[in-house]
């Protein structure tokens, strides 16, 4: 968040330099400087434009940087009252994905495996949540607090959770 703030200030400073140069060029070419309100209006517009651009490009930039084997399960677009432009085009500021790369498959049932769910949210560090998936039954389980998926496909320390049309199971089992 601090980096976004610094980058927004830098965008405002860049626009201030451009308006300052434009004002001096205007004085030399036309004999008149730009109106005094152009500098603060330009700075404000530049900072707001950068903040909106950064907000809308966060999800595509993070998604493009995900390693091979990571499949996005859900990326809800949001409308927020303090970002009125999001009512026109909603933006994504959080998503959940499944890292299908380093999976631990059951020897007895290859459709049962363990993988990590990745919870990504803007301005927060990513969270890895170990999950067990049974693609045949379309269920999943959190592998936390000592819960394990055995080699034979049995689950201990937790129970399977069945959610109708679970995007996490769909991404893990079907590729998203």
């Amino acid at each position: 968040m601090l980096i976004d703030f610094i980058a927004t200030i830098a965008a405002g400073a860049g626009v201030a330099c451009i308006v300052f140069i434009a004002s001096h060029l205007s004085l030399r070419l036309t004999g008149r400087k730009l109106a005094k309100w152009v500098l603060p209006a330009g700075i404000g517009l530049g900072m707001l434009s950068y903040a909106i651009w950064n907000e809308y490009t966060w999800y595509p930039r993070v998604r493009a940087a995900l390693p091979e084997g990571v499949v996005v399960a859900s990326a809800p677009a949001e409308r927020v009252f303090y970002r009125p432009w999001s009512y026109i085009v909603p933006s994504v500021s959080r998503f959940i994905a499944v890292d299908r790369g380093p999976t631990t498959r059951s020897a007895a049932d290859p459709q049962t495996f363990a993988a990590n769910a990745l919870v990504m949210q803007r301005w927060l560090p990513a969270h890895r949540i170990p999950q067990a998936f049974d693609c045949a039954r379309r269920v999943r389980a959190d592998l936390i607090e000592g819960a394990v998926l055995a080699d034979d496909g049995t689950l201990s320390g937790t129970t399977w959770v069945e959610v109708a049309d679970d995007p996490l199971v769909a991404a893990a089992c079907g590729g998203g």
Side-chain angles (χ1 to χ4, degrees):
M1 189 173 201
L2 180 62
I3 292 172
D4 286 347
F5 177 71
I6 292 169
T8 304
I9 297 298
V15 169
C17 290
I18 292 169
V19 171
F20 185 73
I21 291 169
S23 179
H24 282 286
L25 285 175
S26 174
L27 179 63
R28 286 188 178 229
L29 296 175
T30 65
R32 293 179 28 202
K33 278 185 150 184
L34 294 177
K36 290 185 178 189
W37 61 267
V38 173
L39 182 64
I43 292 170
L45 185 62
M47 292 172 74
L48 184 62
S49 297
Y50 171 78
I52 292 171
W53 171 85
N54 194 29
E55 180 178 310
Y56 279 102
T57 61
W58 174 82
Y59 173 63
R61 286 182 285 139
V62 171
R63 186 184 64 212
L66 291 174
E68 183 96 18
V70 176
V71 179
V72 175
S74 175
E78 306 173 311
R79 291 179 170 93
V80 184
F81 76 93
Y82 55 85
R83 294 182 283 180
W85 51 87
S86 69
Y87 284 97
I88 299 167
V89 179
S91 65
V92 175
S93 62
R94 61 190 165 92
F95 67 93
I96 189 164
V98 177
D99 188 358
R100 296 187 321 157
T103 60
T104 306
R105 295 220 176 253
S106 166
D109 183 10
Q111 293 227 1
T112 303
F113 60 93
N116 285 318
L118 304 172
V119 178
M120 309 287 279
Q121 192 168 358
R122 192 157 181 224
W123 299 308
L124 294 176
H127 292 286
R128 289 187 177 272
I129 304 169
Q131 298 281 304
F133 297 96
D134 185 344
C135 293
R137 297 186 311 163
R138 306 296 283 182
V139 292
R140 69 177 170 86
D142 294 335
L143 296 179
I144 56 174
E145 298 176 2
V148 293
L149 179 66
D151 277 346
D152 63 356
T154 59
L155 194 61
S156 61
T158 189
T159 58
W160 292 107
V161 177
E162 186 176 350
V163 179
D165 299 324
D166 189 350
L168 202 54
V169 173
C173 296

